[in-house]
Amino acid sequence: MPRSIVLFGLLLACCLPAFAAPDGAKLYSRNCAGCHGEKGDGGIGIPLSLPSFHAQVDDDYLKQTVLRGRPGRVMPSFSYLSDAEVDAIVRHMRSWYKGKVPVYPFTPIKGDAKRGEQLFEKHCAGCHGPTGEGGHGTGVTFSRPRDFPIMPPALHNPGYLSSAKDAMIKATLVNGRVGTPMAAFGKRGVKDKDLNDIVAHLRNFEKKPLPSSAKLIETGEAIIVMESPYDLKTTIENVKKAVSSNNFVFIREQPLNAGLVAEGREDPKQHIVYFCNFSLLNQALATDPRVGLFLPCRITVVEQGGKVTMMAANPKRLSRIFNNSELNEMCDQVTKMYIAVMEEAAL
Amino acid sequence: MKLAHAFALTLALWFNSAIADELLMVRSSQNFEDAMTTLQATIAEHGYKVTRVQRVDVGLEAKGYKTDRYRIVFYGKPGEIEALAAKYPKLIPYLPLAVAIFAEEGNTILTTARPALLKQFYPEPELKPIFDRWEKDLVGIMDEVREAK
């Protein structure tokens, strides 16, 4: 057989499957490593590479967690990825683990939820919160101080509860997660019946109202717009004045296309005023450093068809982008401050 | 004074949780300075222009707050941003495009809003090809920064 044909056959054999299946390592790196680390060693969110974690969770849990995310708790939903892509990511995570992967039955565990609630208060609430809402800070603190090396995740969260089977939850309580603050309660002498009662209590969360940690601000309004009765120049000056009287510091102003066109050729009719409240900024970055993306605060003054308007991105809508319920209050506050500035400027 | 209607945009997709395609966040194994250089070079390679680098860390430190290095890189395509702003003023608050870049111990983290977000806010069909191109370029830029050693 001519060598070239053999070679061609070899090439086909080795490369075709690689083309057919999505690249799990690349997908993981692109979508997950920012938070969970390149090798799953954690950072933000929980580590994904620990053997005790892999020995405890089934593939379906990993897959559903990726698809559903954890509403309000930073972990996004990747529902836009294809089934094959999610499977590839799961396979990539499993490549960090050499042991046996468990499979769990769907059978619910029966227990006394009322008793479970008391046991939860005693053993668990200190870390996971009295209503299972999870630790504060969500772990997104980067190089800033944090309360725990690993954030206790929210248990009263639809993303978790809809992805975990009862038997898997119980296995977590029996064995804990070695290498994290999550203890092996089964091995610490908590009785089997007690563990069943706790599982029943966790399952019962699904019948209760969502804790605030799983809620995001509901708004479809992408921007805040207000008309100004003044001309462009006066409105810009008014915004700058209103900024200072509303606890902000004026930073700078520029035409929208400054830096894009040659100096002197900018469009003066789209003018950005940047301002900041440093104490709020510091607090926001400590809660979630990603919010810097929409900072510094800004109001753009636009003249079009003889009408002058002030516009800003609606901070309330931003809480949803970051899927971080701890930003809700701040986003709400900053929205009110934006409106106050605009109202004063238009007065 | 009247608060003019904040554009009530009903979103076709209304999920309980944030969908990850609104935000892209990647980790670069490079330190902050190197990642910053890579980012700016990559933005230029894709035909965009960096319009400004906002030094958030410098501002915070001047006010007495402690922080690691944190910058925001604004960029856009000359001609494109103005044309869009003139035709679709609702887009203005989200222009120019931006990437937040900050140090995370020896690594660097980069975050950016995906154009898919704008697509939800502004469903005009004629904007779709523009958002799609931004999306493709952006994912390319972030992939290159992420993979740079």
Side-chain angles (χ1 to χ4, degrees), chain A residues 97-143:
Chain A
Y97 173 67
K98 300 285 167 262
K100 210 169 148 250
V101 170
V103 180
Y104 295 105
F106 281 95
T107 345
I109 287 179
K110 290 203 184 75
D112 179 346
K114 211 107 214 95
R115 262 194 91 241
E117 186 170 4
Q118 287 157 11
L119 291 161
F120 185 85
E121 224 159 83
K122 182 169 163 213
H123 295 294
C124 328
C127 289
H128 291 283
T131 59
E133 72 271 24
H136 284 290
T138 338
V140 189
T141 41
F142 297 94
S143 303

Side-chain angles (χ1 to χ4, degrees), chain A residues 8 21 105 111 123 160 177 179 250 279 293 301 311 334:
Chain A
F8 183 69
H123 295 294
Y160 176 68
R177 298 261 176 95
F250 166 73
S279 151
L293 187 52
V301 183
M311 356 176 137
V334 176

